[in-house]
Amino acid sequence: MTRYTPVPSKHVGILAHSAEGATLSYRTVWQEGIAAMGPHNHPQITMSGIAMHHAMEMWEAGDLAGLRALFLEDARRLAAAGADFFILPDNTAHIALEQPGEGFPIPCLHIAEVVAREAKARGYRHIGVLGTDWTMEGPVYKGALARHGLERAIPGDADRAYIHDAIFEELCLGEFRDETRDGFVRIIEGLKEAECDAAALVCTEIPLLVTPDVSPLPLLDSTRLQAAAAVQVALGNMAMPQWRCGPPPA
């Protein structure tokens, strides 16, 4: 029997919200683990997630406190399973995480901070943001990109509605249509014409639809970037930010 020498690493928790995004995140964590640690190896992973069905009325009502309470419940499960920190592969959900409230039991690797840091490292300056309407118009990326000295652009009203509807009526349900991809490519082309130098895919399902080979702009894939960063944190190669859910630093 082959004996494998364990590589010391922290235990990664994945707090699932939207199913497709969480599935891609889980797969990327173990793929990045193999790349860093060798065949058949990755940090320990625990995933927990209350079905997004139970959150949809809260999103529609703007009940961020209720949403935060749902995520806190899952974070407690992850902590009880031994996770040292967690990632939440759902950009919109970070709006609720940024609300004040009871402390989370373990730190969260903030998805927008990961994306903003990567954008800055690659030398991008003007980032087009594609996600749910709540994410595109909301505070999470507006704040994170500004903290890193980056500009943000979002599509116009009709295009935001198109993206939002496609996310909930197709992508979150595992439907990826060629005609929808064409619509996203058209919107990214518009961001390029508005002098964006990269497009941030900040709904965790969009990277399953829009890939670098079809995009008019370089892509910042929030799902895979966060998962890759989680592996680096687990291996001690990247410092874990001390943000523990709540209002981010100014």
Side-chain angles (χ1 to χ4, degrees):
M1 178 182 293
T2 303
R3 289 188 175 272
Y4 294 94
T5 302
V7 177
S9 64
K10 292 183 177 180
H11 183 163
V12 180
I14 300 177
L15 202 167
H17 189 42
S18 52
E20 286 284 357
T23 302
L24 177 59
S25 179
Y26 183 95
R27 188 171 193 269
T28 303
V29 169
W30 66 253
Q31 286 178 320
E32 292 288 331
I34 287 170
M37 301 168 70
H40 313 296
N41 205 358
H42 57 74
Q44 185 173 354
I45 309 166
T46 296
M47 183 158 66
S48 179
I50 298 167
M52 195 166 69
H53 162 83
H54 301 291
M56 290 309 297
E57 286 189 8
M58 295 181 191
W59 281 117
E60 295 294 343
D63 182 5
L64 297 177
L67 289 159
R68 193 178 190 280
L70 281 182
F71 300 143
L72 179 57
E73 184 179 338
D74 267 323
R76 287 174 175 148
R77 291 191 183 98
L78 294 172
D84 294 294
F85 68 98
F86 75 93
I87 56 176
L88 202 175
D90 187 294
N91 290 270
T92 302
H94 283 64
I95 300 172
L97 293 188
E98 289 190 352
Q99 299 303 301
E102 182 180 350
F104 278 57
I106 51 178
C108 173
L109 182 57
H110 192 297
I111 196 167
E113 281 295 317
V114 171
V115 172
R117 289 180 186 186
E118 182 67 17
K120 188 172 183 177
R122 293 187 192 179
Y124 302 139
R125 295 182 179 180
H126 192 189
I127 313 302
V129 173
L130 281 75
T132 68
D133 201 35
W134 298 311
T135 300
M136 288 185 285
E137 293 198 271
V140 171
Y141 276 88
K142 182 177 181 181
L145 293 173
R147 287 192 293 275
H148 290 268
L150 304 174
E151 295 183 65
R152 158 185 159 274
I154 59 175
D157 292 352
D159 286 339
R160 290 202 310 275
Y162 177 89
I163 294 169
H164 186 91
D165 291 345
I167 288 168
F168 285 104
E169 295 174 10
E170 299 176 27
L171 308 190
C172 284
L173 301 177
E175 297 181 17
F176 303 95
R177 302 174 183 172
D178 290 342
E179 59 269 27
T180 304
R181 181 180 299 107
D182 292 343
F184 275 70
V185 169
R186 173 188 58 77
I187 292 168
I188 295 172
E189 183 63 46
L191 291 170
K192 182 178 181 179
E193 292 172 1
E195 300 185 343
C196 290
D197 51 13
L201 307 184
V202 299
C203 159
T204 50
E205 286 76 27
I206 297 177
L208 294 166
L209 179 74
V210 180
T211 50
D213 58 305
V214 301
S215 176
L217 284 172
L219 298 178
L220 293 159
D221 175 344
S222 64
T223 320
R224 292 185 173 94
L225 288 174
Q226 185 194 42
V231 172
Q232 293 306 306
V233 168
L235 293 175
N237 298 329
M238 175 179 166
M240 179 70 209
Q242 294 305 303
W243 183 79
R244 287 182 172 266
C245 304

